Amino acid sequence: MLLRVAGGLDDGEERPMTEALEGKVAIVTGAARGIGAAIAAALAQSGAAVAVADLDGDTARVVADKLDGRAIGVTLNVCDTASVLAAVDAVQAQLGPVDILVNNAGVDVIGPFVDSDEATWLRLVDVNLLGTIRCSRAVLDGMLERGSGRIINIASDAGRVGSSGEVVYSATKGGVIAFAKALARETASAGITVNSVCPGPTNTALLDQVADVSQRLYDSLARAVPMKRIGQPSDIAPAVAFLASPAAGYITGQTLSVSGGLTMT
Ligand SMILES: NC(=O)c1ccc[n+]([C@@H]2O[C@H](COP(=O)([O-])OP(=O)(O)OC[C@H]3O[C@@H](n4cnc5c(N)ncnc54)[C@H](O)[C@@H]3O)[C@@H](O)[C@H]2O)c1
């Protein structure tokens, strides 16, 4: 990574981002593909040992094998507390105590709210909001004991400004942002930071659903972005690596849109 960041107040030295997370252990949920895979790669490039955690454990292991440095793939279902606890135990046994959690696993279902059913609402809430809550709870005891930790939630601009066709999804992402702010207040004095990154429309399988519903809608999304293009997973990952780095140690409870200027709130 080309970015250089200040090393800290104590030495005033500049250090390359490639060393910023040396000795740290990170879990990225939903990292077998898309934005999560790019985040796992960025954290590994910054020196962290990375657990690529996903419902699709086989693909997670393939992704982990291709990362720089120490990395493992772990099967994880964020909807199942036993699975979350087992995954965190496995990561701690193989890589060490978890310093960084990236709550990235998420699902979306596109369509008018009035046509959606309760099973869909429950699934969206279970993965996007409760999944974030379960994984955060699972790593917090260790972070509190050690007096340090970073939790970074991948929310969405939909959670900041609302998105038609994604009404319950928007609600879950708004919930994720509020969860991060409240948890940040509770844990700041214990040396833990909690922040949210909000991608705009980003080129992944999740966004392909929009094109499946309407190619015109997909094209209009790109036109609505001031930078006139859909984001790439590699646009999102550096913001997460920054928030995980020592340079972001005084930033907590914040919500950062990475969306080519789509939302400016
Ligand atoms: N792509 C976009 O336009 C966009 C925009 C805003 C926010 N986001 C958010 O970014 C995050 C990543 O999205 P993406 O676009 O890379 O999606 P994606 O569908 O490409 O990848 C999501 C990953 O999450 C995993 N996953 C799903 N359910 C899971 C579960 N229960 N437990 C563990 N893993 C599970 C999937 O197996 C998959 O590997 C999501 O939280 C999404 O809401 C995406």
Side-chain angles (χ1 to χ4, degrees):
M1 200 172 294
L2 296 173
L3 258 179
R4 294 183 75 87
V5 296
L9 288 176
D10 43 344
D11 58 15
E13 295 268 313
E14 294 263 310
R15 292 199 191 99
M17 266 309 252
T18 46
E19 290 168 21
L21 300 179
E22 213 66 64
K24 302 293 183 191
V25 172
I27 300 183
V28 185
T29 70
R33 68 183 192 196
I35 293 170
I39 292 168
L43 297 181
Q45 276 171 25
S46 297
V50 177
V52 176
D54 203 285
L55 205 50
D56 179 355
D58 289 341
T59 307
R61 280 177 270 281
V62 172
V63 169
D65 284 348
K66 292 181 183 156
L67 293 181
D68 296 340
R70 287 172 74 209
I72 59 168
V74 188
T75 305
L76 162 78
N77 180 1
V78 300
C79 299
D80 175 355
T81 298
S83 167
V84 170
L85 294 175
V88 171
D89 280 352
V91 173
Q92 300 204 135
Q94 292 178 67
L95 298 179
V98 177
D99 301 294
I100 300 157
L101 168 67
V102 182
N103 285 308
N104 167 79
V107 290
D108 195 4
V109 179
I110 312 282
F113 174 61
V114 290
D115 294 341
S116 64
D117 59 20
E118 186 159 348
T120 303
W121 309 340
L122 291 174
R123 178 161 168 258
L124 288 166
V125 171
D126 202 14
V127 179
N128 297 355
L129 180 55
L130 290 174
T132 296
I133 294 172
R134 287 186 193 98
C135 293
S136 302
R137 181 67 195 90
V139 299
L140 267 169
D141 289 339
M143 289 181 176
L144 289 167
E145 250 170 51
R146 291 185 300 280
S148 69
R150 297 292 167 90
I151 297 177
I152 300 149
N153 296 335
I154 307 307
S156 170
D157 271 356
R160 307 191 86 178
V161 297
S163 174
S164 62
E166 301 179 290
V167 172
V168 178
Y169 174 83
S170 300
T172 65
K173 294 300 188 175
V176 164
I177 293 166
F179 172 72
K181 290 179 181 176
L183 185 61
R185 288 188 189 279
E186 251 187 49
T187 58
S189 62
I192 297 167
T193 70
V194 191
N195 293 289
S196 301
V197 169
C198 292
T202 306
N203 182 20
T204 69
L206 185 143
L207 190 69
D208 290 345
Q209 291 177 77
V210 174
D212 292 344
V213 172
S214 161
Q215 187 62 44
R216 274 184 61 193
L217 178 60
Y218 185 96
D219 295 343
S220 71
L221 282 175
R223 281 198 303 273
V225 175
M227 291 190 185
K228 300 294 173 209
R229 68 173 176 87
I230 296 288
Q232 296 298 326
S234 57
D235 290 317
I236 314 300
V240 178
F242 167 67
L243 288 170
S245 76
Y250 198 54
I251 300 174
T252 197
Q254 302 306 305
T255 311
L256 175 62
S257 284
V258 184
S259 54
L262 181 62
T263 52
M264 300 185 186
T265 58

